[in-house]
C-alpha cells in the first residue's frame, strides 16, 4: 500500500476468519436476521401509514425510526454477508470511507431521534393538556430534520478526519465493517489531533443526545411519582417502557465499545459488542415496539381483519 496512491488502496477484513468452519452458518444466521429485520420494519411502516389511529406524533417518530433502522442495518450487513462467502474479504479505500460515513450518519441520527422520541413522551406525560400544541406536525418535522442534520455533521467531520490520515502500512482491519477505532489503528501518523477534535466537537454532540434522553426520562419519572392513581402510573409506564428498552439496547453496547481506553480495542469481544447494536438491535426493536404496544397490536388485528373481509 503505497502512500499517496489511495485510489488502488484496499482494506482486508479479518472479521470472522478465525472461525472458518462457521462461515456458512454465520452467513445463514445473519442473512435471516437481515431479512427479518427489513420485513419487520417495513411491516410496521405499512401498519403505521394505513392505520388512522396511529397518526400521532409518537408513531410519526416510530415510522421515521423504522426507516432509519432499515438504512442503518443495510450499511453493515450486505457487505458482511458478501465477505462471509468470499476468500478475499476486502473493501476499497473509498468504499470503506462511504461505509463509515453512512454508518456514522445513521448512528448519530438515531441518537437524536431517540432523544426526540423521549422528548415526545416527556410532553405527553408531563404536559398532557399542551401536548398537541407543543408536538405539532411542524414541530415533529423540525425535530426529524434537526436529527438528520446533526447526524450529517457528525458523519462528515469524523469521516473526513479519519480518512485524511496517511495509510502506508498494514491494511488488515480486525473487524467486520469500517469503524473508527480499527481504521485509525492502521494510520501511520499521530492521531492525537483527530482524538482532540472528536473530544471537543463530535463526542459532545453524541453524548448530548444521550443526556437529553436521560433528562426527559428523569422528569417523566418525577411526574409519574406524583401520580395518585395506579391506572395513571401503569399507563405512563406502558408508553415509556418500550422506548427505554430500545435506548438501553442501543446505548449500552455502544458505550462499552467507544467509551473505553483506546488500548483495549481490537479484541474478538469488540465484534460481538458491535453486532449487538449494528445487527441485533435493529432486529429486536420492531418487535419491542409492536409486542408491547396495544395500539400497534390493535392496528395489526384491524388491518388483518379488513384484508380478510376484502378477500372474495
Amino acid at each position: 500500500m503505497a502512500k499517496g496512491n489511495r485510489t488502488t488502496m484496499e482494506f482486508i477484513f479479518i472479521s470472522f476468519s478465525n472461525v472458518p468452519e462457521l462461515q456458512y452458518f454465520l452467513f445463514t444466521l445473519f442473512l435471516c436476521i437481515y431479512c427479518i429485520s427489513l420485513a419487520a420494519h417495513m411491516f410496521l411502516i405499512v401498519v403505521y401509514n394505513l392505520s388512522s389511529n396511529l397518526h400521532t406524533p409518537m408513531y410519526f417518530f416510530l415510522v421515521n425510526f423504522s426507516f432509519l433502522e432499515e438504512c442503518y442495518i443495510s450499511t453493515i450487513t450486505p457487505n458482511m454477508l458478501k465477505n462471509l462467502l468470499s476468500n478475499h474479504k476486502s473493501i476499497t479505500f473509498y468504499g470503506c470511507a462511504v461505509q463509515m460515513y453512512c454508518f456514522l450518519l445513521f448512528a448519530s441520527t438515531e441518537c437524536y431521534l431517540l432523544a426526540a422520541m423521549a422528548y415526545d413522551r416527556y410532553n405527553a406525560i408531563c404536559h398532557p393538556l399542551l401536548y398537541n400544541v407543543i408536538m405539532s406536525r411542524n414541530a415533529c418535522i423540525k425535530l426529524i430534520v434537526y436529527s438528520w442534520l446533526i447526524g450529517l455533521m457528525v458523519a462528515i467531520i469524523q469521516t473526513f478526519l479519519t480518512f485524511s490520515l496517511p495509510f502506508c502500512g498494514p491494511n488488515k482491519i480486525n473487524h467486520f465493517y469500517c469503524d473508527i477505532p480499527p481504521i485509525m489503528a492502521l494510520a501511520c501518523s499521530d492521531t492525537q489531533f483527530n482524538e482532540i477534535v472528536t473530544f471537543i466537537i463530535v463526542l459532545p454532540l453524541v453524548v448530548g443526545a444521550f443526556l437529553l434522553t436521560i433528562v426527559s426520562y428523569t422528569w417523566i419519572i418525577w411526574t409519574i411519582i406524583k401520580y395518585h392513581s395506579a391506572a395513571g402510573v401503569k399507563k405512563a409506564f406502558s408508553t415509556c417502557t418500550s422506548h427505554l428498552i430500545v435506548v438501553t439496547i442501543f446505548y449500552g453496547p455502544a458505550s462499552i465499545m467507544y467509551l473505553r481506553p483506546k488500548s483495549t480495542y481490537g479484541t474478538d469481544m469488540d465484534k460481538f459488542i458491535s453486532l449487538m447494536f449494528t445487527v441485533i438491535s435493529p432486529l429486536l426493536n420492531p418487535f419491542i415496539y409492536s409486542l408491547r404496544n396495544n395500539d400497534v397490536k390493535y392496528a395489526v388485528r384491524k388491518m388483518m381483519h379488513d384484508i380478510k373481509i376484502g378477500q372474495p
Side-chain angles (χ1 to χ4, degrees), residues 2 6 14 17 24 42 55 75 82 103 108 134 152 155 160 181 194 200 202-204 219 233 241 248 268 296:
R6 294 180 172 178
I14 298 178
S17 300
Y24 291 107
M42 183 58 66
H55 291 174
T75 300
K82 176 184 75 70
F103 167 71
S108 302
I134 298 174
L152 183 67
F160 175 77
N194 297 56
I200 295 175
V202 177
L203 189 61
W219 281 106
V233 173
T241 306
T248 303
D268 289 336
V296 173

Side-chain angles (χ1 to χ4, degrees), residues 7 52 60 67 136 150 169 210 263 281:
T7 57
S52 58
F60 175 74
F67 171 74
S136 63
I150 294 174
F210 177 69
S263 59
S281 177

Side-chain angles (χ1 to χ4, degrees), residues 2-10 92-94 160 162-168 188:
K3 183 177 179 181
N5 188 21
R6 294 180 172 178
T7 57
T8 59
M9 185 185 298
E10 66 176 10
T92 64
F93 178 86
Y94 293 108
F160 175 77
T162 302
F163 285 89
S164 62
L165 293 169
F167 296 93
C168 50
C188 51

Side-chain angles (χ1 to χ4, degrees), residues 122-240:
Y122 159 76
N123 285 302
I125 294 172
C126 301
H127 303 290
L129 298 179
L130 297 175
Y131 176 70
N132 290 328
V133 176
I134 298 174
M135 300 305 297
S136 63
R137 181 75 174 182
N138 188 45
C140 292
I141 292 174
K142 285 182 178 179
L143 287 172
I144 296 293
V145 172
Y146 292 155
S147 298
W148 280 97
L149 288 177
I150 294 174
L152 183 67
M153 181 169 62
V154 170
I156 291 175
I157 293 173
Q158 199 66 66
T159 305
F160 175 77
L161 285 174
T162 302
F163 285 89
S164 62
L165 293 169
F167 296 93
C168 50
N171 66 337
K172 292 184 178 180
I173 304 174
N174 188 19
H175 217 332
F176 58 90
Y177 69 97
C178 293
D179 199 6
I180 297 172
I183 294 296
M184 288 183 62
L186 299 179
C188 51
S189 68
D190 187 16
T191 61
Q192 186 176 5
F193 176 75
N194 297 56
E195 295 166 8
I196 292 174
V197 173
T198 299
F199 183 78
I200 295 175
I201 299 177
V202 177
L203 189 61
L205 287 173
V206 177
V207 174
F210 177 69
L211 292 178
L212 288 173
T213 305
I214 294 300
V215 169
S216 295
Y217 275 103
T218 300
W219 281 106
I220 288 172
I221 293 172
W222 174 250
T223 302
I224 290 175
I225 291 175
K226 294 191 297 182
Y227 279 158
H228 297 291
S229 69
V233 173
K234 183 178 180 181
K235 182 178 180 181
F237 271 115
S238 68
T239 61
C240 299

